[in-house]
Amino acid sequence: MRGEKGEKSEKNEGPEGAAGPAEAVGVAAGNDAVRLLWGPRPKPGRGPKPGLDLDRIAHAGIKIADAEGLGGVSMQRAAALLGVTKMALYRYVPGKAEVIALMVDAAIGRPPEQDAAGATAPGWREELDGWARRLFDVFRLHPWLLEATVGPRVMGPAELGWMEQAVSALDGTGLTGAERMDAAVLLTGHVRAIAQQARAAAPTSGTEAQLGAVLGALLAEHGGRFPALTAALDSTRETGGQDEAWEFGLRRILDGLAVLIDQRPA
C-alpha cells in the first residue's frame, strides 16, 4: 500500500515536485479531491493515533505558498513544516494535487457577509461592488491562487460560496441564469487581471505608473508611429488618472449590467 501511494504522489507532483495548475487541482485530483473537499472527511488509515487533520495540512501548504509561491509546495516540505514524515501525510491525502485543492478552498475562505448596516438592504450593484473588492483582497493576500485556480478543476464549498453570493446578488433583476453566471465570471476575470498585474509590479509604485514609464521611454523615440497612444499618454501625465484601471473597469462592468437590467421588463 505504501508503495502505491508513493508512486501516486510522484505522478501528482510531477518533475522535481512541480505541478501545473490543471494537474494540481483538476484532472489529477479527480474523485479524491471531491471526497476530501466535500466530505464526509475520511479517517486516516491504519497506524499510530492521528496527530494531523486536513485543515492543518492545508494551512501548512498555504504558509509555504504565501512565502515561496505554489512551486515551493511539496509533500516533503509540508511534512517537514508539520513535524511528520512524508509518508505520514499519505494517511490523509493521496498527493500534492489534493493538498493544493484543500489549500485553495481554505485560502479563499467563505465569502464574508455583506454589510447589513442601514435601514435598507444593498442593491445588486452595491453587493457586487463589495464582492469584487473582497475577492481582490483575497488574491492580493494569496497571489499563488491566481496560478492554482485556472482550468477545469474541482472546486470546494468555500469557492462555490463566492459564486453563489455573486449570482444571488442578481436575483430579481430580470437577467437569465446564464447571464447571472456570466456576470460573476466577468467580474472575476477583472479581479484576476488586475491582481495579476499587481503581482508582477514592483511594490514601490503602481502598475500603470510602471507601464507608463516603459511606454514613455519607447514613445519618446518612436511616438511618430503611434500618435494616438502618444497623445493618450501625454494627457494622462497632464491630468492624472494613472492606476485607475481597477476602479474604471469595475465601474464599467457594473454600468453595463445596469444597462442590460434596465432593458428587461420589471
Side-chain angles (χ1 to χ4, degrees):
M1 291 296 293
R2 286 189 176 183
E4 293 175 1
K5 286 185 178 289
E7 181 181 356
K8 183 173 184 179
S9 174
E10 291 300 321
K11 292 179 181 178
N12 250 351
E13 294 196 14
E16 300 182 0
E23 181 185 15
V25 292
V27 176
N31 291 334
D32 286 324
V34 173
R35 172 175 55 85
L36 294 173
L37 287 166
W38 290 92
R41 290 189 170 183
K43 295 180 180 180
R46 290 178 293 179
K49 183 179 179 179
L52 294 177
D53 58 42
L54 296 180
D55 289 335
R56 285 188 63 197
I57 294 171
H59 283 91
I62 290 171
K63 185 174 183 179
I64 296 169
D66 284 348
E68 304 177 29
L70 195 62
V73 179
S74 69
M75 295 290 282
Q76 186 65 51
R77 294 289 307 282
L81 187 59
L82 290 164
V84 300
T85 67
K86 180 178 177 180
M87 290 307 299
L89 290 187
Y90 294 140
R91 299 176 58 224
Y92 298 85
V93 291
K96 177 178 174 179
E98 292 78 14
V99 171
I100 292 177
L102 293 169
M103 288 166 52
V104 167
D105 214 51
I108 288 178
R110 297 192 180 278
E113 295 294 329
Q114 296 282 356
D115 186 3
T120 59
W124 66 264
R125 182 170 185 136
E126 292 75 20
E127 286 195 50
L128 290 183
D129 182 278
W131 179 90
R133 294 178 191 279
R134 290 191 297 273
L135 185 60
F136 184 59
D137 288 341
V138 171
F139 281 115
R140 286 199 300 181
L141 183 62
H142 305 291
W144 55 270
L145 283 170
L146 292 164
E147 181 181 353
T149 55
V150 295
R153 58 194 174 81
V154 176
M155 291 185 285
E159 188 174 2
L160 281 186
W162 282 86
M163 185 66 72
E164 168 72 14
Q165 193 175 81
V167 171
S168 66
L170 291 166
D171 285 348
T173 60
L175 299 183
T176 67
E179 288 170 338
R180 296 197 299 274
M181 293 184 66
D182 286 344
V185 171
L186 182 61
L187 278 170
T188 302
H190 180 58
V191 170
R192 291 180 62 91
I194 300 300
Q196 185 72 60
Q197 290 296 323
R199 181 187 187 187
T204 54
S205 61
T207 304
E208 290 182 61
Q210 294 176 50
L211 176 60
V214 174
L215 283 176
L218 291 172
L219 294 178
E221 183 174 355
H222 305 288
R225 296 172 57 189
F226 310 99
L229 185 57
T230 300
L233 186 61
D234 290 343
S235 175
T236 299
R237 288 169 175 163
E238 294 173 1
T239 62
Q242 286 186 336
D243 290 310
E244 291 185 0
W246 162 248
E247 294 290 345
F248 180 85
L250 180 57
R251 289 195 298 266
R252 297 296 78 80
I253 291 173
L254 297 177
D255 287 346
L257 288 174
V259 171
L260 184 60
I261 290 170
D262 287 343
Q263 293 173 352
R264 299 301 165 86

